[in-house]
């Protein structure tokens, strides 16, 4: 029986004495009905929404972790020691091999050839199983991390689910003719061990799954294998992915579980605050609170007047009166039984036998009544449970209705927010479009202005040419007018010439118009050509930069390879498994490719120089002896010919032929 049951039973016993008292009921009604509008009672609980993805991942991974623990991977450690022959219990193959290599242990040669050869000492080996392999240490580290991961989240979830906050305030003033009672009560209670959280089957099922995972992790940590591994130093990240961790399915899935848990972000759950307002008080709640206030007022009155001894005397007197009243009732029953025995003309013994038989019959009937009563009590308990369940369902319905209203308000708020966001985005989009239109208009206006300026320049130039042509024409017309009298005979010819010149001028005007159009077209083509040229130059610069970068990378790789070669030459670098990873192997391959490229190019240059030196040595004239005839004089510029010919025509094929 827990403390809540004890308090409830004590309160029920207390209510039995005061429930039927008219005076107590009057006081309770006066307190309950007074200043009910100032009553306050709010309760707060928390509803947890747990994410099931991490629970599922842990459950699936623990299955393979358990299989990996059951494998009990180990390696055999051999310890050897040379002991006297008297202490040798068992001779192994290692003992014989060791004795064959150490013949100094045989110091006594047998006298006869048939006798056995017994050494003085012998090598004894002991093979022990060592479970502290890297994979088992990884399992222990992962289980410890998983234990803390689950415990941290489960503790927070249970703390939220078991949190209860009650805030109650009562302010009442009860006045009668002879009594004034002022009640000022404020109770604030917060507890994290509430055994009656919000009924949520989904959260309860998920908490049960989390608890099962925690139990399984604890059980795996308590296995003999993990107890042995716990004695060794714990490994630290990063994890070395050995062949077992990469190839063995159980260890591979355990490593995947560790990677998932180590990279998991967030708490894995969220909480929702659920408040309930119980004001104004219900009739039953107000009546029970009034009962507790009356009890508090009575306790203060008792100690305030120091009347505990008087009340104790009255209590004992009342108890004595009740016992005397029960005794009188018992005596009266005995007298009635004696009177009935005398009236039935039977002795007291016979009447007692009849009473005993009657009592047995009544007992049998009482047993049936007890069974019926028990059944009735069970039904009443069932009715009480159904009533409580009905109230709980009603409370949950009210909570759900409140939650639905909150969700509807949240949905409305989100819809309004969505509308506002869409309106803001639309306005921003319209602003961007307007800005783009303005920028496009400015660019178009700038191009148009430039084009109009160039057209104006062309027109001005054309007007100047026209003015010069007109001036020339007027000059020729003056000459013609001066000579008109002399040329009257050639008037028709002059008119024809004038018309021809006029047509030429019109043709020239048309040519100038065509030239204007051609200039406009050439301007557009030049603009496009410049754009294409700039794009091509940019691509060329980008290509050159990329080639320079590749060249620098090759030089860096070559220098790194040269440094490794120097280390190998000095004995500071030896072949090892450090280049087994993909990154180190690719780096080694790049160094080899760079050095191979350098070696080929350098070999070509060196071979060419060697061939030049060999060819030059062969083509040099031998030293002149005393008896040798004089050589003919060399022609001019003949000294540079061999070198020049060698440099220009000294290909590898020529060198090979000369050799």
């Amino acid at each position: 029986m827990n403390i809540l049951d004890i308090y409830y039973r004590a309160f029920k016993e207390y209510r039995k004495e005061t429930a039927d008292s008219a005076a107590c009921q009057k006081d309770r009604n006066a307190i309950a009905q007074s200043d009910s509008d100032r009553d306050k009672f709010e309760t707060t609980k928390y509803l947890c929404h747990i994410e099931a993805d991490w629970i599922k991942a842990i459950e699936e991974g623990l299955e393979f972790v358990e299989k990996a623990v059951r494998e009990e991977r180990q390696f055999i450690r051999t310890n050897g020691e040379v002991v006297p022959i008297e202490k040798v219990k068992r001779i192994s193959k290692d003992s014989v091999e060791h004795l064959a290599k150490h013949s100094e242990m045989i110091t006594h040669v047998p006298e006869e050839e048939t006798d056995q050869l017994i050494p003085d000492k012998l090598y004894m080996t002991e093979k022990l199983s060592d479970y502290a392999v890297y994979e088992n240490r990884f399992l222990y580290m992962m289980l410890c991390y998983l234990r803390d991961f689950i415990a941290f989240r489960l503790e927070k979830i249970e703390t939220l689910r078991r949190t209860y906050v009650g805030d109650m305030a009562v302010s009442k003033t009860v006045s009668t003719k002879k009594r004034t009672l002022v009640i000022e009560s404020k109770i604030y209670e917060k507890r994290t061990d509430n055994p009656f959280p919000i009924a949520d089957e989904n959260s309860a099922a998920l908490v049960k799954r989390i608890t099962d995972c925690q139990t399984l992790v604890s059980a795996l940590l308590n296995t003999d294998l993990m107890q042995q591994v716990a004695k060794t130093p714990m490994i630290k990240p990063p994890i070395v992915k050995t062949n077992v961790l990469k190839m063995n399915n159980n260890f591979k899935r355990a490593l995947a579980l560790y990677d998932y848990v180590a990279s998991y972000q967030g708490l894995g759950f969220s909480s929702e605050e659920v408040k309930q307002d119980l004001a104004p008080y219900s009739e039953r709640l107000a009546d029970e609170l009034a009962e507790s206030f009356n009890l508090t007022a009575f306790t203060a009155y008792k100690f305030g007047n120091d009347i505990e001894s008087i009340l104790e005397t009255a209590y004992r007197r009342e108890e004595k009166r009740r016992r005397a009243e029960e005794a009188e009732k018992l005596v009266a029953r005995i007298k009635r039984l004696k009177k009935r025995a005398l009236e039935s003309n039977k002795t007291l013994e016979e009447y007692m036998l009849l009473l005993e038989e009657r009592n047995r019959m009544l007992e049998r009937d009482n047993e049936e009544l007890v069974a019926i009563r028990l059944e009735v009590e069970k039904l009443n308990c069932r009715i009480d449970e159904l009533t409580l369940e009905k109230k709980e369902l009603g409370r949950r319905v009210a909570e759900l209705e409140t939650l639905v209203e909150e969700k509807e308000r949240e949905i409305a708020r989100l819809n309004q927010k969505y509308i506002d966001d869409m309106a803001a985005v639309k306005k921003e989009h319209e602003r961007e479009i307007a800005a783009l239109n303005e920028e496009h208009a400015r660019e178009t206006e700038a191009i148009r202005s430039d084009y109009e300026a160039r057209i104006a320049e062309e027109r001005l130039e054309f007007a100047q040419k026209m003015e010069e042509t007109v001036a020339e024409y007027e000059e020729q017309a003056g000459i013609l007018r001066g000579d008109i009298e002399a040329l009257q005979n050639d008037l028709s010819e002059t008119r024809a010439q004038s018309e021809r010149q006029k047509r030429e001028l019109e043709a020239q005007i048309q040519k100038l118009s065509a030239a204007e159009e051609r200039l406009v077209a050439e301007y557009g083509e030049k603009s496009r050509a410049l754009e294409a040229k700039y794009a091509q130059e940019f691509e060329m610069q980008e290509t050159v930069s990329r080639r320079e970068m590749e060249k620098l990378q090759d030089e860096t790789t070559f220098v790194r390879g040269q440094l490794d070669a120097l280390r190998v030459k000095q004995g500071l670098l030896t072949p090892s498994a450090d280049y087994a990873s993909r990154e180190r192997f690719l780096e080694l391959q790049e160094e080899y490719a760079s050095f191979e490229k350098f070696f080929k190019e350098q070999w070509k240059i060196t071979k060419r120089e060697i061939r030049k030196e060999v060819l030059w040595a062969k083509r040099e004239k031998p030293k002149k002896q005393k008896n040798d005839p004089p050589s003919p004089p060399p022609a001019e510029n003949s000294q540079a010919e061999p070198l020049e010919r060698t440099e220009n025509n000294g290909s590898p094929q020529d060198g090979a032929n000369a050799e």
Side-chain angles (χ1 to χ4, degrees):
M1 182 182 294
N2 57 24
I3 189 171
L4 296 178
D5 295 332
I6 295 173
Y7 283 144
Y8 184 75
R9 291 180 65 85
F11 190 71
K12 292 284 286 187
E13 293 296 328
Y14 169 61
R15 292 279 285 174
K16 286 181 182 179
E17 296 291 334
T18 60
D20 298 332
S21 174
C24 294
Q25 187 174 3
K26 182 179 179 181
D27 288 344
R28 291 198 303 271
N29 292 336
I31 295 174
Q33 296 174 4
S34 176
D35 298 332
S36 59
D37 56 340
R38 292 193 291 178
D39 294 339
K40 175 187 175 183
F41 191 11
E42 293 180 354
T43 61
T44 303
K45 294 183 179 180
Y46 294 91
L47 182 63
C48 284
H49 302 285
I50 306 174
E51 300 173 4
D53 54 348
W54 61 276
I55 304 175
K56 183 178 178 181
I58 292 175
E59 289 175 344
E60 293 176 353
L62 281 177
E63 178 182 356
F64 296 95
V65 173
E66 185 177 4
K67 293 179 182 178
V69 172
R70 288 177 181 175
E71 289 186 12
E72 294 186 354
R73 301 189 67 85
Q74 58 180 320
F75 66 89
I76 305 301
R77 187 176 67 235
T78 303
N79 294 332
E81 183 182 6
V82 177
V83 297
I85 192 65
E86 295 83 6
K87 297 183 179 180
V88 175
K89 297 179 181 179
R90 181 175 176 274
I91 299 175
S92 63
K93 180 181 177 182
D94 297 332
S95 302
V96 177
E97 291 180 355
H98 186 270
L99 182 61
K101 297 177 181 178
H102 299 80
S103 58
E104 68 272 7
M105 295 182 182
I106 304 174
T107 57
H108 296 83
V109 180
E111 297 178 356
E112 298 182 2
E113 295 181 356
T114 57
D115 293 342
Q116 294 183 352
L117 185 65
I118 301 175
D120 294 337
K121 296 180 181 180
L122 203 61
Y123 180 74
M124 287 290 296
T125 59
E126 182 182 9
K127 296 184 178 180
L128 301 175
S129 298
D130 193 351
Y131 294 97
V133 297
Y134 186 83
E135 289 77 13
N136 291 340
R137 294 169 65 193
F138 162 72
L139 289 177
Y140 178 74
M141 185 273 293
M142 189 206 63
L143 287 172
C144 292
Y145 187 86
L146 198 60
R147 176 191 60 193
D148 299 338
F149 180 86
I150 296 174
F152 174 75
R153 283 157 178 79
L154 183 60
E155 181 181 1
K156 287 187 174 295
I157 291 171
E158 284 297 316
T159 300
L160 280 173
R161 290 182 71 243
R162 303 288 178 179
T163 298
Y164 165 81
V165 179
D167 187 6
M168 186 181 70
V170 177
S171 178
K172 296 179 179 293
T173 302
V174 183
S175 299
T176 59
K177 293 181 180 180
K178 297 182 179 180
R179 183 188 182 194
T180 299
L181 180 63
V182 178
I183 301 172
E184 293 288 343
S185 177
K186 182 175 178 62
I187 298 175
Y188 180 83
E189 181 182 15
K190 181 177 180 180
R191 56 192 307 172
T192 57
D193 60 345
N194 181 26
F196 306 103
I198 297 176
D200 186 6
E201 296 180 358
N202 187 26
S203 297
L206 292 176
V207 169
K208 178 66 168 54
R209 291 170 60 184
I210 297 173
T211 307
D212 293 342
C213 293
Q214 188 181 36
T215 304
L216 180 57
V217 171
S218 300
L220 292 176
L221 284 173
N222 289 326
T223 56
D224 295 337
L225 175 63
M226 292 295 102
Q227 292 293 332
Q228 291 291 331
V229 177
K231 299 176 183 179
T232 61
M234 184 180 293
I235 64 175
K236 297 180 181 180
I239 304 301
V240 179
K241 295 183 180 180
T242 62
N243 291 333
V244 176
L245 293 179
K246 290 190 293 186
M247 302 300 179
N248 189 297
N249 186 45
N250 296 329
F251 284 91
K252 181 169 68 174
R253 298 295 292 272
L255 180 61
L257 175 60
Y258 171 76
D259 292 337
Y260 175 82
V261 173
S263 61
Y264 188 82
Q265 301 292 332
L267 295 175
F269 67 92
S270 59
S271 60
E272 180 183 354
E273 189 179 69
V274 179
K275 289 189 176 183
Q276 185 180 7
D277 190 1
L278 299 177
Y281 299 158
S282 62
E283 183 178 353
R284 182 178 177 183
L285 176 59
D287 187 71
E288 292 186 358
L289 286 175
E291 191 77 82
S292 64
F293 293 148
N294 271 331
L295 180 61
T296 304
F298 163 74
T299 304
Y301 182 79
K302 179 183 69 173
F303 284 95
N305 289 282
D306 195 15
I307 58 173
E308 186 174 3
S309 58
I310 299 173
L311 295 175
E312 182 67 22
T313 302
Y315 171 76
R316 292 179 179 177
R317 188 186 304 117
E318 179 62 20
E319 289 294 317
K320 184 177 180 181
R321 184 189 68 77
R322 291 184 179 184
R323 288 196 295 270
E325 185 177 353
E326 291 177 358
E328 290 177 359
K329 290 180 180 180
L330 182 60
V331 171
R333 287 180 62 191
I334 294 173
K335 288 181 179 180
R336 285 197 299 272
L337 291 174
K338 186 177 180 181
K339 182 179 179 181
R340 289 177 182 176
L342 295 174
E343 290 177 353
S344 61
N345 295 322
K346 294 181 180 180
T347 61
L348 292 176
E349 290 79 3
E350 293 175 348
Y351 191 72
M352 288 295 294
L353 292 174
L354 290 174
L355 286 178
E356 289 178 359
E357 185 178 357
R358 176 63 177 168
N359 286 335
R360 284 195 294 271
M361 294 175 62
L362 291 175
E363 285 177 358
R364 287 195 297 271
D365 295 340
N366 189 27
E367 290 177 357
E368 295 178 358
L369 290 174
V370 167
I372 295 172
R373 190 179 296 110
L374 290 175
E375 186 175 358
V376 170
E377 288 180 356
K378 290 180 180 178
L379 293 175
N380 289 330
C381 292
R382 181 58 181 166
I383 290 170
D384 293 338
E385 291 177 359
L386 292 175
T387 303
L388 292 175
E389 187 176 357
K390 181 181 178 182
K391 290 182 179 179
E392 181 65 21
L393 290 175
R395 185 183 63 79
R396 288 180 62 186
V397 168
E399 291 178 356
L400 291 175
E401 288 177 353
T402 305
L403 185 61
V404 168
E405 291 178 358
E406 292 179 357
K407 294 298 182 182
E408 288 178 353
R409 288 195 297 271
E410 186 176 358
I411 290 171
R413 181 178 59 79
L414 292 175
N415 289 334
Q416 185 63 34
K417 183 180 178 182
Y418 175 75
I419 293 171
D420 295 339
D421 293 342
M422 288 300 295
V425 170
K426 185 177 180 181
K427 290 181 180 178
E428 183 67 22
H429 183 63
E430 290 177 353
R431 267 198 312 274
E432 290 179 356
I433 290 175
L436 290 174
N437 289 333
E438 291 179 359
E439 185 177 358
H440 179 68
R442 286 195 300 270
E443 292 178 356
T444 305
E445 185 65 26
I447 294 172
R448 185 181 294 110
S449 300
D450 190 12
Y451 177 73
E452 289 178 354
R454 293 184 65 84
I455 293 296
E457 291 177 359
E458 295 291 338
R459 285 179 178 176
L460 181 60
E461 185 178 357
F462 176 72
Q464 291 176 357
K465 289 181 179 180
M466 284 293 294
E467 289 179 357
E468 293 176 357
T469 305
V470 170
E472 184 179 356
Y473 175 74
E474 288 179 353
E475 184 179 355
Q476 291 178 1
I479 295 171
L480 290 173
R481 279 194 301 269
D483 298 338
I484 194 169
E485 294 179 356
L487 298 174
Q488 287 180 356
N489 297 326
D490 300 331
L491 180 59
S492 57
E493 185 180 354
T494 303
R495 288 179 180 176
Q497 186 179 0
S498 299
E499 290 177 359
R500 186 170 58 255
Q501 289 179 355
K502 183 178 180 181
R503 285 193 299 271
E504 290 177 357
L505 289 174
E506 290 177 355
Q508 190 174 4
I509 291 171
Q510 292 179 357
K511 288 181 180 180
L512 291 174
S513 299
E516 181 182 359
E517 295 177 357
R518 182 172 54 78
L519 288 174
V520 173
E522 288 178 357
Y523 172 73
E525 291 177 358
K526 288 181 179 180
S527 299
R528 289 190 292 272
L530 287 174
E531 291 178 357
K533 181 180 178 182
Y534 292 153
Q536 185 177 4
E537 289 180 355
F538 178 74
E539 291 178 357
M540 291 176 63
Q541 290 179 359
E542 186 177 4
T543 304
V544 171
S545 300
R546 185 167 58 253
R547 290 177 179 173
E548 291 179 354
M549 184 61 69
E550 292 176 356
K551 183 177 179 181
L552 289 175
Q553 290 179 354
D554 292 341
E555 291 179 356
T556 304
T557 308
F558 172 73
V559 170
R560 189 164 55 248
Q562 191 176 13
L563 180 60
D564 290 342
L566 291 175
R567 290 178 178 173
V568 170
K569 185 176 180 181
Q570 296 297 328
L572 300 177
L573 182 64
T574 58
S576 63
D578 294 339
Y579 294 89
S581 63
R582 178 179 176 81
E583 293 78 7
R584 297 301 301 276
F585 181 75
L586 292 176
E587 181 181 348
L588 181 63
Q589 194 172 7
E590 289 178 359
E591 293 176 1
Y592 178 75
S594 299
F595 184 78
E596 185 179 10
K597 181 179 178 181
F598 167 76
F599 177 78
K600 289 181 179 180
E601 294 178 357
Q602 186 61 41
W603 174 245
K604 289 180 181 179
I605 296 171
T606 306
K607 186 165 61 174
R608 189 182 302 117
E609 294 298 325
I610 292 172
R611 286 175 177 173
K612 287 181 181 179
E613 292 178 0
V614 172
L615 289 175
W616 180 259
K618 285 187 176 183
R619 291 183 181 182
E620 283 182 350
K621 295 181 179 180
K623 294 183 178 180
K624 190 174 181 180
Q625 303 295 333
K626 294 182 178 179
N627 298 325
D628 290 343
S631 59
E636 294 182 357
N637 300 329
S638 61
Q639 295 179 357
E641 287 182 0
L643 179 60
E644 191 173 322
R645 190 180 304 111
T646 303
E647 291 179 352
N648 296 333
N649 301 325
S651 61
Q653 289 80 5
D654 297 340
N657 295 330
E659 291 174 1

